[in-house]
Amino acid sequence: MEIDEKEQGRCDTLAVLVWIVLATLAMTGSSVAEESHLRDLRQLTREGENAEAYWSPEGDRLVFQRTGPEGGCDQIYVLDLGEDADRTRVSSGQGRTTCAYFMPDGERILYSSTAPYSRECPPPPDRSRGYVWPVYDTFEILMQGASGEEPVRLTENRAYDAEATVCPVDGSIVFTSDRDGDLELYRMNPDGTDVQRLTEAPGYDGGAFFSPDCSRIVWRASRPRGEELEEYRGLLADGLVKPGHLEIWVANADGTDARQITYLGEASFAPSFFPSGDRIVFSSNWHGTGREFDLWAVDVQGTRLERITETEGFDGFPMFSPDGTRLAFGTNRFPGGPYETNVAVARWVEHPPRFTERGPDRFLADVRWLADDARQGRGAGTEGLERAADWLEARFRDLGLEPGYGGEYRQALEIPTAVQVEDGTRLVLDGEELDPEEEYGLTGFSASGQAAGEVVPVGYGIVAPELDRDDYGGIDLEGKIALVRRFVPPQESFEDPEKARRYGDLRAKAFSAREHGAEALLVVDLPVGEEVEEAPFPDLRVEQRGDAGIPVLVLKREVGRKLFEGGHEAEVAVELSYEKAPSANILGRLPATVEEAPPEPAIVVGAHYDHLGFGGSGSLAPDSEEPHSGADDNASGVAAMLETARILRDRELGREIWF
């Protein structure tokens, strides 16, 4: 049976699949008991294909696209929500139109049309290449009065310019185009000027909506890879796209901080914001049949997924009224002819979500528990760290992990919590002992021990093959004491902050000196070239990663300057003591399950659940006594590890995995 094609998107194209699928679905009544968010459901249209209805700023009208039962191409209509629900066509009736949206003044309407190039409907796509939908390069974005005045053309690219929606604050427009060779999101002024590209990744980006305050956008996207990406590009070159998995994304309104928030692996589309701006309503066939589309909601973080509609068939293109009291959407739940889809509106009933627990919800819950102030920042020796260990042991047990340490989940250990310089520490240069209070200091990663010998300058102590630099080249350090400059050289090669951090790291310099045979390391803040203000000594704080294997001391500039001339001798003795607190590693394992699998080394998936406690020395807020939560590092790492264990416990494993 032949039917008119519809374009992709929050707009038409995905609807092609929907309309075909709907022919096999039974028509049902107007509501079901499970749809507890919807009340007073009202059917607004009759006959034909009516969908993608979006509100006027006043909430008294809807603009939508329609193909009547007599066929033809989609045209744009305005529906007055009065008692009679009168509809008025505002497009010319020529070509194909799609994706209509009210401007903030409520007097003008934005939509796309092929009419600037032809009065006729564009040809249907070539289905010999599989199920594909067309990307017409004749779609241009137009603006016209809601009463049907002559439209004004905003784009003129001979490219696919469609799926346009509007910011209710300033009238700026977000739309989809393939003008640069891929289907990407763009933003422009209400008059079509200052076009800016918002997305860059290969794949389809479309159907974008602004948040109520226009600070963010939400859209649906595909991200094909490998052979799928090659097929996508080949089809797009011929003006075709084959529908694939579509997921929901959010970003700032300028395209920055783009994040995928659904991972449903099905066709999720037509997202728009709740009036609060913190949740998204969209349509998806995720729940398993592959043929039915329902309305769903999810937080902007990707958590609290909730099913909104449960009527058999198609529900899609949801959008809240400006005041948030009503939800308009397209549906085929009402009795009618084959392929008939109509616009409905329902009163929205707010209540706590009955969400479907998924990975993102568990992940966020784990992070929130670990990062709660009650955990005291999970510092070494705190009650909060001990409670976190209890919690992790229980989680491992609930996940079905076997104990990993002698029949127990806990491997006892001691964690250093404070470091103290003892009386045996001393530094002698050319027979003269230096003052530890004024002339030198120690680092927390210094090893305790003794060394004596010639002081050998090795520049900044940097070994960077990619920069063609080796400060140790040709220098014999066996049995000697290395001398390095602190930080990095004032050169262009080290202007990149990451390179400056990496090659200026004192701990890394100490390891490098040890690897080159040095018995100890002396460090002086003495830059080559113009001198700058001398940096203070590093804080003496506990290094949980252990010591560097050799004594490490930092000298004042006035003391260390002469050492770079060569010919000096040093005697070093470092004696450090540590306060320690009991703690534990938490170990669990999944055994291999594949019978007769060849022996393979175990895989270790690890994270650390401790953090900085109440801050202090070494933290980014050393003067604060507030709990340092470690949410975006340690806690999130633990949450990811736990979710990985949950996923892998149900898989066939050819080797054991330790957590």
Side-chain angles (χ1 to χ4, degrees):
M1 180 178 296
E2 293 184 358
I3 61 172
D4 284 331
E5 304 291 337
K6 282 194 156 309
E7 275 309 302
Q8 172 77 350
R10 171 205 90 259
C11 304
D12 326 272
T13 341
L14 182 61
V16 177
L17 173 62
V18 174
W19 310 145
I20 293 175
V21 166
L22 295 183
T24 65
L25 302 176
M27 301 296 178
T28 63
S30 61
S31 65
V32 293
E34 291 82 1
E35 297 177 343
S36 56
H37 281 296
L38 306 181
R39 290 288 184 272
D40 305 330
L41 189 68
R42 178 185 175 192
Q43 181 179 355
L44 299 180
T45 61
R46 299 287 190 279
E47 299 182 329
E49 299 171 11
N50 308 269
E52 303 170 56
Y54 304 122
W55 295 89
S56 66
E58 303 83 5
D60 59 350
R61 293 166 293 163
L62 291 167
V63 61
F64 68 104
Q65 59 196 59
R66 164 183 167 81
T67 297
E70 68 281 358
C73 275
D74 278 338
Q75 296 297 318
I76 304 302
Y77 291 79
V78 170
L79 181 70
D80 191 314
L81 294 183
E83 189 66 31
D84 297 330
D86 293 333
R87 69 169 185 260
T88 303
R89 193 184 77 195
V90 295
S91 58
S92 66
Q94 300 174 7
R96 181 182 294 278
T97 61
T98 188
C99 313
Y101 209 89
F102 278 99
M103 295 299 291
D105 59 14
E107 300 299 323
R108 296 171 296 163
I109 291 174
L110 194 73
Y111 64 92
S112 293
S113 176
T114 63
Y117 298 99
S118 175
R119 299 168 57 92
E120 307 301 323
C121 291
D126 178 9
R127 287 291 170 78
S128 67
R129 302 179 67 175
Y131 179 73
V132 296
W133 42 266
V135 179
Y136 295 123
D137 63 3
T138 51
F139 264 130
E140 302 287 1
I141 298 176
L142 311 179
M143 186 186 295
Q144 73 171 72
S147 302
E149 293 84 350
E150 186 71 19
V152 174
R153 188 165 168 177
L154 298 187
T155 63
E156 191 168 355
N157 292 287
R158 197 56 192 249
Y160 178 80
D161 292 327
E163 307 176 36
T165 61
V166 180
C167 163
V169 176
D170 63 9
S172 59
I173 298 165
V174 62
F175 65 100
T176 295
S177 178
D178 64 350
R179 60 181 63 197
D180 293 325
D182 196 14
L183 287 166
E184 305 287 357
L185 295 183
Y186 295 80
R187 183 173 180 171
M188 64 183 178
N189 293 333
D191 60 0
T193 61
D194 192 23
V195 178
Q196 300 178 13
R197 183 170 170 175
L198 303 183
T199 57
E200 299 288 343
Y204 173 74
D205 293 278
F209 279 87
F210 285 98
S211 61
D213 65 359
C214 298
S215 64
R216 289 176 291 181
I217 55 173
V218 62
W219 74 100
R220 56 78 178 281
S222 69
R223 291 291 181 261
R225 297 181 179 180
E227 293 182 359
E228 290 185 355
L229 179 57
E230 294 305 312
E231 181 185 35
Y232 165 81
R233 286 171 169 165
L235 288 170
L236 188 59
D238 294 332
L240 300 170
V241 175
K242 183 178 292 184
H245 292 161
L246 302 168
E247 302 289 357
I248 307 303
W249 287 65
V250 297
N252 295 330
D254 61 1
T256 59
D257 192 25
R259 297 180 292 110
Q260 182 177 338
I261 64 169
T262 66
Y263 293 84
L264 303 180
E266 298 293 342
S268 299
F269 73 107
S272 60
F273 283 92
F274 274 58
S276 62
D278 59 5
R279 274 175 74 75
I280 306 294
V281 61
F282 64 101
S283 182
S284 180
N285 61 346
W286 173 68
H287 52 290
T289 67
R291 303 191 307 168
E292 296 186 10
F293 286 82
D294 281 297
L295 304 186
W296 297 78
V298 69
D299 287 357
V300 293
Q301 296 92 350
T303 57
R304 299 201 306 167
L305 181 70
E306 180 185 19
R307 188 172 176 176
I308 303 300
T309 64
E310 301 198 30
T311 299
E312 186 179 9
F314 170 77
D315 293 316
F317 309 111
M319 187 180 182
F320 279 96
S321 61
D323 63 5
T325 62
R326 292 164 293 169
L327 185 72
F329 60 99
T331 181
N332 77 330
R333 64 178 61 202
F334 304 115
Y339 315 113
E340 182 171 310
T341 304
N342 285 293
V343 176
V345 66
R347 180 169 57 86
W348 180 260
V349 178
E350 191 62 59
H351 61 66
R354 296 195 296 267
F355 61 89
T356 303
E357 183 186 89
R358 297 163 50 250
D361 302 288
R362 293 187 292 268
F363 187 99
L364 185 58
D366 290 343
V367 171
R368 282 175 170 162
W369 193 92
L370 286 166
D372 191 283
D373 282 354
R375 306 291 91 76
Q376 302 172 308
R378 307 185 308 285
T382 64
E383 180 70 16
L385 184 63
E386 180 66 17
R387 297 289 73 78
D390 294 341
W391 177 83
L392 270 168
E393 185 176 356
R395 291 300 307 276
F396 276 22
R397 186 179 295 108
D398 292 343
L399 286 168
L401 303 185
E402 296 182 2
Y405 185 77
E408 302 290 338
Y409 291 102
R410 296 198 185 205
Q411 177 191 26
L413 54 88
E414 289 188 322
I415 298 177
T417 58
V419 59
Q420 177 70 37
V421 179
E422 299 296 337
D423 292 340
T425 299
R426 58 197 296 261
L427 173 61
V428 177
L429 291 178
D430 298 327
E432 181 180 348
E433 184 170 349
L434 301 189
D435 183 352
E437 298 292 331
E438 300 292 336
E439 296 178 301
Y440 71 93
L442 279 84
T443 65
F445 53 81
S446 173
S448 294
Q450 297 181 2
E454 180 186 355
V455 177
V456 179
V458 286
Y460 281 87
I462 293 174
V463 179
E466 71 278 16
L467 301 177
D468 195 27
R469 182 181 182 117
D470 183 0
D471 289 352
Y472 289 91
I475 298 178
D476 178 16
L477 279 172
E478 291 296 330
K480 302 174 183 177
I481 296 174
L483 173 70
V484 301
R485 299 176 191 269
R486 197 173 173 186
F487 306 115
V488 295
Q491 299 172 358
E492 184 177 351
S493 303
F494 298 97
E495 287 181 354
D496 175 62
E498 176 57 26
K499 283 188 173 65
R501 182 202 64 78
R502 176 182 175 187
Y503 293 111
D505 181 65
L506 275 181
R507 186 185 180 88
K509 290 176 187 274
F511 273 113
S512 187
R514 185 192 69 183
E515 290 172 357
H516 285 86
E519 298 291 326
L521 176 67
L522 304 180
V523 182
V524 182
D525 180 12
L526 183 64
V528 173
E530 182 181 355
E531 293 192 11
V532 296
E533 183 179 354
E534 184 175 6
F537 289 152
D539 291 327
L540 180 63
R541 60 187 178 92
V542 170
E543 286 285 341
Q544 301 292 354
R545 294 174 292 175
D547 64 54
I550 58 175
V552 181
L553 300 89
V554 182
L555 280 61
K556 292 290 289 186
R557 183 179 293 175
E558 63 184 38
V559 174
R561 184 189 303 273
K562 66 179 181 180
L563 300 181
F564 285 93
E565 300 170 358
H568 298 274
E569 298 285 330
E571 298 175 28
V572 174
V574 172
E575 183 181 348
L576 300 177
S577 62
Y578 298 90
E579 296 179 13
K580 296 184 178 181
S583 189
N585 286 324
I586 313 299
L587 303 168
R589 61 183 287 270
L590 288 175
T593 56
V594 177
E595 295 183 3
E596 300 180 357
E600 296 282 357
I603 294 174
V604 178
V605 182
H608 61 108
Y609 64 96
D610 63 307
H611 197 55
L612 298 178
F614 294 98
S617 176
S619 75
L620 294 180
D623 298 325
S624 169
E625 296 183 358
E626 299 295 321
H628 286 49
S629 66
D632 60 351
D633 177 7
N634 308 355
S636 62
V638 173
M641 182 196 66
L642 291 172
E643 192 61 25
T644 301
R646 177 183 291 274
I647 294 169
L648 292 179
R649 70 179 181 180
D650 299 323
R651 304 284 180 88
E652 291 291 319
L653 302 176
R655 63 178 75 187
E656 67 178 7
I657 303 179
W658 285 67
F659 298 89

